[in-house]
Amino acid sequence: MFEYFPENYTWNLAFMSGMNRGGALGDLDEACRSLKTHAGRRDSVAQQAWFESFVKVAERSEALARRDEEAGNLFSAGRKYVRAGVYYLLAERMPSHKDARRLIAYKRGIELYERGLKLRREPVERVEVPYGAHSLPGFFVKAPVAGRAPCMVHFDGFDATKETIYGGVGDEYRRRGISLLIVDHPGVGEALRLRHLHSGPDTEKPAAAAVDYLLTRPDVDPERIGIVALSLGGYYAPRAAAFEKRFKCCVAWGAIFDFGAAFEARLGGTNEPSVPGFGDHAQWVFGAKTLEEAKAVTRQMTLEKVAADITCPFLIVHGENDRQIPLWHAEKLYAAAVNSPDRELKVFHLADGGAEHCGADNGSLIVDYITNWVAEKLGASPQGI
């Protein structure tokens, strides 16, 4: 993985996320150049410096977008609005969620991101998935297929959002004739930040709500719906598939067999954290008042007793050099999923690329492999592109 900050994995991960999800190298370099002196500190001062630097670059991209929009150059404006949204969301990753400026940046980021998608006429529809007394915000990306198309439900992870997911997978599903429903489920994105919905072990509940929603759409084939998720989604998606039998395939984009073990290892410094203040972020995600309460939730998040209930085709992809979640999680999950009629473990090695956490070093290799596999399992074929 390209390491702009050799001493700070968390910042490198965010930098690569920006590269993989629509950011411009020049903008990212400008935002990060002044941060090199802070990278080794890993304290609140460093995180605030990151926030301020990325907000500055986001504001410039936003101003350039407005100038293009006023001149009638709407596609150009849209590209810059999307970039501004990416930069605001990158800024928002670093400070504590208790910092009020973080929420302001988040709201601005998602607003500009969606404005950019509209101006660029991206095939993205903002939707609301009914979820008990609430609803879950999502993006529906329609495949250019006549009639009913297969569709994948795409969940997030520990700190991803529907915007970063869309920026990472983009057109690759729809190019293969597959629609996509990207959901900010409880514990991430808008569901957490604006609706105060927290995550937990029973991810089959929001997953079932997503399927229920898709069954109301005349453009989705009810017999060809699958689920995919990345990072902590490597627990979320398999857990959902074990209980929700309407899924016809499942992809764990980075496996998590036992999140309790992974959580303890990360707190102990054995594995790298994806965000600063990892324990505090976990309390926010799970709605826990203390770190011990968060630990109690994570100890319930194991696939040991449910992996055998996965009865659809199941793909696990994992990086050989994943510094957040060791490879043994993928190996144990594969071994435990004994009742999947068609299971596969694909390990991405350093020699080929895609070997870091969820392909942070080269995400396109992972996305290509997953989307090709899904297209085969759901019987998809491209039309109209």
Side-chain angles (χ1 to χ4, degrees):
M1 182 168 72
F2 174 67
E3 300 195 358
Y4 196 102
F5 306 101
E7 67 273 46
N8 196 319
Y9 173 88
T10 302
W11 281 14
N12 290 328
L13 189 70
F15 181 93
M16 291 304 298
S17 177
M19 281 295 299
N20 291 329
R21 289 164 174 80
L25 178 58
D27 291 340
L28 294 168
D29 177 57
E30 181 173 341
C32 292
R33 201 177 307 145
S34 64
L35 297 174
K36 289 184 177 181
T37 57
H38 295 280
R41 297 179 57 172
R42 302 177 185 238
D43 58 11
S44 61
V45 173
Q47 311 316 339
Q48 288 301 324
W50 173 286
F51 177 86
E52 291 166 6
S53 189
F54 269 88
V55 164
K56 182 178 178 181
V57 171
E59 289 174 341
R60 184 183 68 180
S61 187
E62 180 182 355
L64 292 172
R66 284 199 303 269
R67 189 182 305 171
D68 273 343
E69 188 174 14
E70 290 166 0
N73 299 317
L74 302 187
F75 287 111
S76 300
R79 186 201 298 267
K80 295 179 179 67
Y81 277 133
V82 166
R83 284 181 179 167
V86 169
Y87 303 148
Y88 275 118
L89 294 177
L90 285 173
E92 189 261 352
R93 281 183 68 87
M94 296 303 169
S96 167
H97 67 276
K98 299 168 186 174
D99 186 332
R101 295 185 302 167
R102 178 171 179 169
L103 184 59
I104 294 171
Y106 175 76
K107 289 180 178 179
R108 193 62 178 155
I110 62 173
E111 176 187 348
L112 294 178
Y113 194 93
E114 289 191 37
R115 180 165 187 79
L117 293 181
K118 289 179 181 178
L119 290 178
R120 290 184 63 77
R121 300 180 186 176
E122 298 274 349
V124 179
E125 174 189 352
R126 182 185 169 89
V127 300
E128 293 287 337
V129 175
Y131 182 63
H134 307 278
S135 65
L136 304 174
F139 287 159
F140 184 79
V141 186
K142 181 175 168 50
V145 174
R148 294 179 179 269
C151 183
M152 291 295 287
V153 174
H154 209 311
F155 273 10
D156 305 331
F158 187 63
D159 47 63
T161 69
K162 62 185 182 301
E163 292 80 16
T164 56
I165 296 296
Y166 179 74
V169 302
D171 284 341
E172 295 307 316
Y173 281 94
R174 59 183 304 274
R175 285 182 183 278
R176 291 161 173 79
I178 305 162
S179 294
L180 197 61
L181 175 63
I182 312 172
V183 183
D184 275 349
H185 52 81
V188 294
E190 287 184 68
L192 175 63
R193 290 160 176 78
L194 304 184
R195 307 184 189 190
H196 310 294
L197 299 175
H198 302 286
S199 185
D202 53 352
T203 54
E204 66 274 13
K205 293 180 180 179
V211 177
D212 290 342
Y213 166 77
L214 290 175
L215 296 183
T216 69
R217 296 190 64 107
D219 51 4
V220 171
D221 185 339
E223 298 301 320
R224 291 190 291 166
I225 297 172
I227 186 167
V228 54
L230 82 171
S231 196
L232 184 52
Y235 166 83
Y236 290 153
R239 164 80 190 205
F243 288 88
E244 176 50 74
K245 298 303 181 181
R246 291 176 292 181
F247 288 126
K248 304 306 182 193
C249 69
C250 174
V251 181
W253 183 353
I256 295 187
F257 184 72
D258 184 338
F259 188 54
F263 190 72
E264 290 285 357
R266 204 168 296 179
L267 289 176
T270 304
N271 300 329
E272 294 283 1
S274 57
V275 291
F278 181 77
D280 184 62
H281 188 87
Q283 289 176 229
W284 185 33
V285 167
F286 299 123
K289 295 180 181 178
T290 66
L291 184 58
E292 287 305 315
E293 286 186 13
K295 288 181 180 180
V297 175
T298 66
R299 283 194 289 268
Q300 299 175 61
M301 298 175 70
T302 172
L303 297 170
E304 183 175 9
K305 295 182 180 179
V306 302
D309 294 324
I310 299 171
T311 54
C312 62
F314 183 30
L315 172 65
I316 304 164
V317 296
H318 209 92
E320 176 185 39
N321 197 47
D322 192 324
R323 287 177 268 177
Q324 293 179 223
I325 305 294
L327 181 58
W328 68 258
H329 283 266
E331 293 168 340
K332 282 199 169 186
L333 180 53
Y334 177 81
V338 293
N339 291 313
S340 168
D342 181 6
R343 74 190 196 274
E344 177 184 350
L345 170 58
K346 169 63 176 176
V347 178
F348 284 81
H349 297 283
L350 285 163
D352 300 315
E356 292 286 347
H357 181 68
C358 295
D361 53 323
N362 192 339
S364 64
L365 296 176
I366 313 291
V367 173
D368 284 348
Y369 197 91
I370 290 174
T371 50
N372 290 339
W373 184 90
V374 169
E376 178 186 345
K377 302 309 172 187
L378 295 184
S381 58
Q383 299 176 33
I385 295 184

